Amino acid sequence: MVPVMCLMIAGTVSCMMDYADNFELANGHVVVLTDPDGTGDKFDDFLDNPFIDTEVENVSTFSVDADGAAYAYMRRMVNQGFRPTEVGACPWQPEHKLLRLGIKGRDIYQGKHPKSNYVFLLDISGSMATKDKLPLLQEGMKMMIDYLDPDDRISIVTYASGEKKVLESTPVREASKIKKAIGKLVASGSTAGHSGMRMAYEECLANYIEGGNNRVIMGTDGDFNVGETSTDAILELAENYAAKGIYLTVCGFGTGNLNDGMMEKVSNAGNGTYEYIDSEDELTKVFVIERNKFTSVANDVKNQVTFDKEMVKSYRLIGYENRVLGKEDFDNDKKDAGEIGASQTITALYEIVPAEGFAKSKVIAKYDLRYKEALGDASIPLTMDIAVSDPDGSSANLDLAAGIAAYGMMLRQTRYQGSSSFAMAHELVSRSIRNSAGFDPYQLQLRENLLELIDKADRIKYED
């Protein structure tokens, strides 16, 4: 159950490899942006985390955030010629250093998965009729079934103008029956999401597997517009069932009706993750390659970094704006935090301003982590020192993280961008590819695709 941890300060060797989609760009929420790019989608804006003087506060605490939606939606917008506003990053300042934190959920090998009780909660309202929505969602559900264990169980609940249970809990060994039910779905009507969620949760609870993986997987293109539409009521619903051990994964599809902020908040309240599916490749990645993420292996995961004031003058956590916690929350097991799925990797970056005492081979900070094996358990503490190895070097992983950070910063035009540029981001990601040649086990070419996105964004950067 113990997550694998690795840290990076400049050139410290990382113990894991992250895909670009696993990098947490930023997900804070401060001001609601309605339809910022003229697509009809809605996002929450955020204020970048500021630099904090270690003389004022040398302890930084935050919850993990395992969502993959921000990167996928950014990719879609850039490919369509837009400049997205939902991502953030930090500047590249030569006199500063980058500290990279990495966490990896333990692997679960074939045949060792806990039995799963899944409820597919599918939006079949009229706006889901386009090929990049319901048809893509149906394909993903069918693909996932092919990789589940025969004893896992699937129920299907749909919602449009009203809610309906279209398939009772059925073992995966009856895959043809499940796929037939999925294939019959047709999009029409409005969107009664709250009542659909309640039915799905009740179905999951009715078939609850003690000690198993009980999860609602929701697929939708946007907001709820029929019945109970209050965000607070929907969040309360998700929180209540999360307390009963039922997790929630929210998968967003298409554009024109997407309520990004609400989807992320609901997934957080439901102890789950928020994904965005913009293509068949992303569909395969989420529902097949990374399907282990649907099984949580570390719950209420909290991070705390205590900087040595003699080594670090100030620091800034990049992203995680809506996941920052108070120092006192770290030891409070009643304080909710994020979950990590099996084999899932999480990355965080700090930009630090070195103090005069900053030197190679010195411990600059202490990293503490707490997690629970199961919701409601007492948390398990882990700790390690963060030492500087090569303060002027960089590995392939740090190049990738820094490149994505520079890219996101350019897209947002943040006040912290410094001398960053799209060219800098391109070179950093290119260097990560050269220095990690051969590492692409699923032939997804995610880093190469990222280079194409950076170049596209560079070409449209001056357009209104």
Side-chain angles (χ1 to χ4, degrees), residues 7 65-66 76 104-105 137 197 227 277 285 290 312 330 366:
L7 311 170
D65 195 333
R76 182 180 192 127
K104 182 177 186 295
L137 173 56
M197 284 183 65
I277 313 297
K285 176 177 172 290
E290 296 182 353
V312 176
F330 185 70
K366 184 179 73 167

Side-chain angles (χ1 to χ4, degrees), residues 338-360:
E339 280 64 45
I340 298 178
S343 306
Q344 188 169 15
T345 57
I346 310 294
T347 299
L349 283 178
Y350 281 92
E351 183 185 2
I352 63 175
V353 179
E356 291 185 5
F358 189 90
K360 182 178 179 179

Side-chain angles (χ1 to χ4, degrees), residues 122-128 134 158-160 162 166 185-190 219:
L122 310 182
D123 178 354
I124 59 168
S125 60
S127 62
M128 288 288 288
L134 183 57
T158 62
Y159 66 93
V166 299
L185 300 178
V186 177
S188 65
S190 50

Side-chain angles (χ1 to χ4, degrees), residues 83-95:
R83 294 184 64 202
T85 61
E86 78 276 21
V87 296
C90 94
W92 187 264
Q93 298 285 4
E95 65 274 20

Side-chain angles (χ1 to χ4, degrees), residues 212-281:
N213 176 29
N214 301 278
R215 183 176 297 262
V216 173
I217 300 177
M218 180 180 185
T220 179
D221 72 336
D223 215 347
F224 302 159
N225 54 32
V226 171
E228 177 61 76
T229 61
S230 163
T231 298
D232 289 343
I234 295 167
L235 294 180
E236 182 180 3
L237 179 68
E239 289 171 350
N240 288 341
Y241 281 94
K244 298 176 182 178
I246 299 176
Y247 296 80
L248 173 68
T249 294
V250 180
C251 299
F253 289 79
T255 59
N257 197 40
L258 194 74
N259 190 334
D260 179 87
M262 182 179 182
M263 287 180 172
E264 186 193 2
K265 290 173 185 175
V266 170
S267 67
N268 289 345
N271 283 338
T273 57
Y274 168 38
E275 308 289 343
Y276 180 78
I277 313 297
D278 67 326
S279 63
E280 291 185 4
D281 286 345

Side-chain angles (χ1 to χ4, degrees), residues 12 21 86 106 112 136-137 260 270 286 307 346 376 389 462:
T12 302
D21 297 79
E86 78 276 21
R106 70 175 174 86
K112 300 297 183 180
L136 196 60
L137 173 56
D260 179 87
V286 170
F307 291 97
I346 310 294
S389 58
Y462 296 115

